[in-house]
Amino acid sequence: MLRIAVPNKGALSEPASEMLQEAGYKQRKDRRELVLVDSDNDVEFFFLRPRDIAVYVGSGRLDIGITGRDLLLDSGADAEEIMQLGFAGSTFRYATRPGTAREVGDFGGMTVATSFAGLVTRHLADHGVDASVVRLDGAVETAIQLGVAEIIADVVETGTTLRNAGLEIIGEPILRSEAVVVRRTGEDGEDPKVRQFLRRMHGVLVARRYVMMDYDIRVEQVERAVALTPGLESPTVSPLHHEGWVAVRSMVPSQDAQRIMDELYDLGARAILTTGIHACRL
């Protein structure tokens, strides 16, 4: 069986399980379950702390796993990213009190508090900065107020929490993170079970980004219409019983669907319909 690590809690857990269900995999109904066998798909799921997943995969105990890019890099595990999953996006940045520092190069001799000590230590080393790193498990924004550190490094979404603590963001982002699929570094990429899993997950990503659009249009307007709806390879064009009209079917990005429908209508297209895509293989 393909052995897959899945986050058991936190921001990664529910979106990961939802995506796996969309991909046709069985998922646990009881959150206390730690192991779930999906015999129909020849897969065994292990529900683990997100921070530990890269370690288990890197050790070879599990074949692949879903975790955050930040957690993967922070772990220092012998694992690598092989697919981006498009959810749980975040930005990892430095912050401090105004006037303390303006960029990473100013951190020399200071202390940085963070929940991602491995990631920050490597980032500072890459910039040639000699600073101390203190690892905290949470609420790192209070570290400066309590005198534990002069700088913090933390996940930033809107920056409101930092501003409320009297801090300002400085320097460029350390990392832009999201949920990713990881495997052991250097592992054979030709494993058919892994390739099938990645195809399924990719199919979910595509299905979420596209809708199927159908419409009828006069033949003399077909070329202009299909220029708006080129599809992934080419749209399907079928003659209608009514002479001089054709039916067109094509995949279009869901975020552009309303605009495309308006432009097709202006070209004379009618019976314009969009339907969701639940699964696909490309």
Side-chain angles (χ1 to χ4, degrees):
M1 283 190 167
L2 184 67
R3 295 156 64 87
I4 303 175
V6 182
N8 68 342
K9 59 182 179 180
L12 291 166
S13 178
E14 187 172 339
S17 289
E18 288 177 357
M19 191 169 187
L20 288 166
Q21 284 183 315
E22 289 180 46
Y25 293 105
K26 182 180 177 182
Q27 286 296 284
R28 63 181 181 173
K29 296 180 179 179
D30 186 343
R31 297 182 66 86
R32 292 173 296 181
E33 286 185 88
L34 300 179
V35 180
L36 175 66
V37 176
D38 183 351
S39 55
D40 290 341
N41 291 296
D42 203 26
V43 171
E44 192 172 11
F45 292 104
F46 294 81
F47 296 89
L48 306 169
R49 291 179 67 244
R51 187 173 286 276
D52 296 337
I53 286 175
V55 176
Y56 281 104
V57 173
S59 70
R61 299 298 189 273
L62 300 177
D63 300 305
I64 54 177
I66 296 174
T67 188
R69 181 181 296 124
D70 51 356
L71 297 172
L72 165 65
L73 297 177
D74 186 61
S75 71
D78 190 20
E80 61 184 356
E81 174 184 330
I82 57 173
M83 175 179 273
Q84 301 172 14
L85 296 179
F87 64 85
S90 63
T91 303
F92 198 58
R93 307 196 68 161
Y94 292 112
T96 187
R97 282 177 174 161
T100 302
R102 299 185 63 182
E103 57 185 23
V104 178
D106 299 333
F107 294 176
M110 297 184 184
T111 299
V112 182
T114 182
S115 299
F116 296 82
L119 180 59
V120 171
T121 298
R122 285 192 295 276
H123 187 264
L124 293 172
D126 290 342
H127 286 75
V129 176
D130 183 14
S132 300
V133 177
V134 173
R135 178 169 182 167
L136 301 175
D137 285 335
V140 296
E141 64 272 6
T142 63
I144 295 176
Q145 180 182 358
L146 296 176
V148 174
E150 294 86 8
I151 312 289
I152 66 167
D154 201 7
V155 172
V156 176
E157 294 182 2
T158 64
T160 301
T161 301
L162 296 177
R163 287 192 294 272
N164 290 340
L167 306 178
E168 65 177 6
I169 297 169
I170 54 175
E172 294 298 316
I174 303 167
L175 176 71
R176 298 188 189 279
S177 184
E178 67 177 292
V180 296
V181 179
V182 300
R183 71 177 176 196
R184 189 176 186 182
T185 302
E187 198 71 17
D188 180 14
E190 298 304 312
D191 185 329
K193 292 181 180 179
V194 174
R195 291 205 311 271
Q196 182 188 67
F197 176 83
L198 296 178
R199 280 197 303 270
R200 286 195 180 194
M201 299 300 274
H202 182 254
V204 172
L205 291 173
V206 173
R208 288 178 172 183
R209 291 198 301 265
Y210 287 84
V211 293
M212 188 66 72
M213 185 171 290
D214 294 88
Y215 57 92
D216 300 339
I217 194 163
R218 294 284 306 177
V219 291
E220 54 267 26
Q221 296 291 348
V222 169
E223 292 304 318
R224 295 178 65 187
V226 298
L228 294 173
T229 59
L232 298 186
E233 294 175 357
S234 179
T236 300
V237 180
S238 306
L240 292 177
H241 179 69
H242 196 314
E243 187 176 352
W245 285 80
V246 295
V248 180
R249 163 167 280 202
S250 181
M251 289 173 63
V252 301
S254 55
Q255 64 181 14
D256 299 329
Q258 293 295 333
R259 174 185 58 79
I260 292 172
M261 292 174 75
D262 290 336
E263 294 185 27
L264 288 172
Y265 190 89
D266 290 342
L267 283 178
R270 295 296 183 265
I272 309 170
L273 307 173
T274 61
T275 53
I277 301 172
H278 297 292
C280 67
R281 296 290 185 275
L282 301 177

